[in-house]
Amino acid sequence: MARVKEVGSNTPQKRLLRFSVTTLIVVLCLIMLLPFIWMIGASLKQEADVMKKGISWFPNYWYPKNYLRVLGFEGSVDYHFIEGYLNSIKVSVLSAVVAAASSCMAGYAFAKLKFRGSNALFILYLSQMMIPSQLTLIPRFVIFSEIGLVNTHWALILPKMIAVSATFMMRQAFMGTSNELREAAQIDGSGEFRIFLQIMVPIIQPTVAAVFTTQFISAWNSYLDPLIFINRTELYTLPLVLNNFVNMEGTQYGLLMAACCLATVPVFIVFLCGQKFFMKGLTVGAVKG
């Protein structure tokens, strides 16, 4: 029976179907990569060659001056790119670390510390996801103005300390852990915080890494909040620096593409380092057995 099942699952029709699906996925991936490939090629071209007619993905010469000008090592215009780069790294890392820590503790509380009204409180907590963040811009601006946080990076970091979607992911991850481990630790005399930190958190490391990655990317790409709360050039994050760059060099696509290539490097590194944990973390709670 096992032999018949194995042969039946490898019929020519099934092999053709798998080949077709694989080919379709590869083609779609290549299509999605085309803008990125064009961006890299354009960043290495002189301005006169970027918008030439016809498809020319990469130049037949090496032209690194676009990157040197963007970084301020050549040319007379200072784009404040390095300052914006460092500001974005600071804001993104702090936001991601604090959001991962707070959502981890909140998720553990909702999953393991059952108390009267905990489910209703969790539903009320999740209801915040239905409120667009744009609706809270004016109240946040008023509050931050009163306490003196406008034109500081804290105005960008504090709202991201509480991430509802991250808390939901953490709760699902903790619900998938064994209650017997927690009960055994309680019998041994361990306190709740020690159980949380030394037993439960190591089990859900993939989810923690996934939350950190998503929160880092969200903070790195954030444009509206810095636009509202920051108006000092030395505090600009990278999206605002790129916006000013477009205003100043709107027709010089070589420089613009070089700036965009540099802006993708940290996100690529973070996702590459956490890819394994990221994929595992997204599937936590999807299958129970």
Side-chain angles (χ1 to χ4, degrees):
M1 291 294 294
R3 178 63 178 173
V4 173
K5 184 177 180 181
E6 180 181 353
V7 173
S9 62
N10 197 28
T11 60
Q13 292 82 1
K14 290 187 177 295
R15 290 199 297 268
L16 179 61
L17 178 61
R18 286 197 296 268
F19 176 78
S20 302
V21 172
T22 303
T23 302
L24 178 62
I25 292 174
V26 171
V27 171
L28 291 176
C29 290
L30 291 176
I31 292 175
M32 288 186 290
L33 285 174
L34 286 180
F36 184 74
I37 295 173
W38 184 87
M39 178 180 71
I40 297 176
S43 70
L44 299 173
K45 294 180 181 179
Q46 296 183 14
E47 185 61 31
D49 297 329
V50 174
M51 304 302 291
K52 273 187 175 181
K53 292 184 178 180
I55 299 177
S56 176
W57 298 104
F58 290 96
N60 54 8
Y61 56 87
W62 175 254
Y63 190 74
K65 287 187 177 181
N66 289 331
Y67 290 92
L68 296 177
R69 289 180 61 185
V70 168
L71 295 173
F73 298 136
E74 187 171 319
S76 58
V77 180
D78 183 10
Y79 300 105
H80 302 283
F81 190 84
I82 296 180
E83 291 181 5
Y85 217 85
L86 297 177
N87 290 335
S88 285
I89 291 176
K90 170 188 172 183
V91 171
S92 300
V93 170
L94 287 177
S95 299
V97 169
V98 176
S102 64
S103 61
C104 195
M105 291 186 285
Y108 179 78
F110 283 124
K112 299 298 183 182
L113 305 182
K114 294 300 180 181
F115 51 90
R116 187 175 182 180
S118 60
N119 291 331
L121 180 61
F122 181 66
I123 294 175
L124 180 63
Y125 186 77
L126 287 183
S127 65
Q128 299 178 66
M129 298 178 66
M130 296 185 294
I131 303 176
S133 60
Q134 292 81 359
L135 293 181
T136 64
L137 277 176
I138 295 178
R140 276 187 286 155
F141 185 84
V142 173
I143 294 173
F144 290 157
S145 297
E146 291 294 328
I147 61 179
L149 291 183
V150 174
N151 275 325
T152 67
H153 288 149
W154 287 112
L156 310 179
I157 297 172
L158 288 176
K160 295 186 178 297
M161 286 185 173
I162 306 299
V164 180
S165 59
T167 301
F168 176 77
M169 290 178 61
M170 290 294 189
R171 176 181 178 270
Q172 295 304 108
F174 281 119
M175 289 183 66
T177 60
S178 174
N179 287 324
E180 285 75 11
L181 289 174
R182 179 168 172 265
E183 294 171 357
Q186 288 176 335
I187 294 174
D188 290 338
S190 298
E192 202 65 60
F193 185 75
R194 184 177 181 183
I195 296 173
F196 163 74
L197 194 61
Q198 296 184 358
I199 298 176
M200 292 299 177
V201 171
I203 296 176
I204 64 159
Q205 281 184 356
T207 306
V208 176
V211 167
F212 177 86
T213 302
T214 54
Q215 294 303 312
F216 180 90
I217 294 175
S218 174
W220 183 266
N221 293 329
S222 179
Y223 173 74
L224 186 59
D225 283 3
L227 181 65
I228 299 298
F229 297 114
I230 303 295
N231 54 36
R232 291 168 55 186
T233 305
E234 63 271 17
L235 296 177
Y236 276 5
T237 55
L238 201 53
L240 293 185
V241 173
L242 290 176
N243 184 58
N244 286 343
F245 182 86
V246 172
N247 292 335
M248 290 184 290
E249 305 288 352
T251 58
Q252 298 192 31
Y253 292 102
L255 294 179
L256 179 59
M257 294 301 104
C260 291
C261 287
L262 292 173
T264 61
V265 172
V267 176
F268 179 76
I269 292 175
V270 169
F271 187 80
L272 186 64
C273 294
Q275 181 182 11
K276 178 180 177 181
F277 298 109
F278 182 74
M279 300 307 296
K280 287 183 178 179
L282 290 181
T283 58
V284 169
V287 179
K288 289 185 178 181

